[in-house]
Amino acid sequence: MEIRKDILPVLRPVSGVEEIASLAETLESGWWGKGPKVAKFEEEFAKMVGAKYAVAVTSATHGQDLVFKALGIRHVDVINPTISFMTTAAVPLWNDCTSNIVDVDPHTLNLDPNDVKKSLRINTEAIIAVNHAGVPAPIAEIREFFDGFILEDCAHSCYVPGAGLQGDAAVWSFQAVKTMPTGDGGMITTNSKELYEKLVPMTWLGISSTYSRTLATSSLIPGNKPGGYNWDYEVDVLGYKCYMIDLTAAIGLEQMKKLPKNLEYRRHIQSRYNNELDMKIGRPAWSETVQYYCARVDAEIRNDLINYLADKKIHTSVHFKPLHLYQIVKQNREYPVADQEWRRLISLPCHPGMTEEDISYVIYWVNQYFKESHKREKF
Ligand SMILES: *Cc1c(COP(=O)(O)O)cnc(C)c1O
């Protein structure tokens, strides 16, 4: 097969005329900041998830941090999985907690409940459970022996039915290569009214939104004209600055409409890879979102295969190099499962921007690699 000229990216967002029209409408409306589009996005997202409340933020990373700060999770121990993105190890550190990184299940690469149990410390008060590649983390099993706070990291689960409802709160990501991208952005969902009411002002320095004050029909401030802009506010909590703006929500609302179709296509890619790739390729646990198609190969040839595919203009990635290997969160213990499995991981291209020919192209060259290396062994 002829080698393509352009690079086939491992992940990429896809937009259409709908996002452009929605952005144009928002730009021309004169309200670019947090306003009606964010309110609608929060409402529709909460409905999709089946959660009572949703708070839109600038990223899942800051969303997780805000949940920690709203609940006062500080100076305690926080368990999180080693196969994850840096966010889940860094957020506990931002809050002066210990980042207690544990090993994973060899099949799902999610938290291993047995290792969670063994790793519990006297001051372990929270667990961040990542649904790796969209496969649900074993939260019910962990609940059997842990009654502290569980934050469900749904960065890869948008949207798996039931996701976000197992943890005490869930945080979702709309980062540029996640399943429902807006460029950057995140959402916190919860059924706790108390947590919701704490979170909202904390997204903007403890201040209530200017949009709600623009809409106010009567003013609480003596001297303010009823129906005018209510410029004054009280601040009684320390907040941050991480609310989503309408320009972002304008993209999110359109991406959300396309989500079922995009997920169906991701699952189609997953099925084709599962059915057509060489049997030497280890298949990942089935995912409803296929945030990543994390194939597994022999650790000895993994990097060679990455280079071989790069020569064919196919980009791949690794999700993820274990967190315990990074200096900043190095731990004083062993990770037998993660240390073995991550060297076998190779994420193949999977996104709605791929054509059937692109999928066939990946399958052809992966299979060709094994045919050629078989030949090399033989002669
Ligand atoms: C992407 C990702 C995040 C961070 O999401 P942002 O919106 O980029 O902050 C958190 N956790 C996991 C597992 C992720 O993959």
Side-chain angles (χ1 to χ4, degrees), residues 59-61 64 84-85 87-88 130 153 155-156 173-175 178 184-185 292 320:
S59 71
T61 303
Q64 292 192 12
S84 175
F85 182 63
T87 294
T88 52
V130 178
D153 179 325
H156 307 166
S173 173
F174 312 128
Q175 188 267 342
K178 299 285 160 73
D184 245 332
Y292 309 117
F320 297 92

Side-chain angles (χ1 to χ4, degrees), residues 319-338:
H319 297 101
F320 297 92
K321 174 176 157 180
L323 294 172
H324 70 264
L325 298 178
Y326 293 94
Q327 271 312 324
I328 192 156
V329 279
K330 236 185 159 73
Q331 313 271 310
N332 190 19
R333 53 158 288 179
E334 303 286 308
Y335 295 85
V337 177

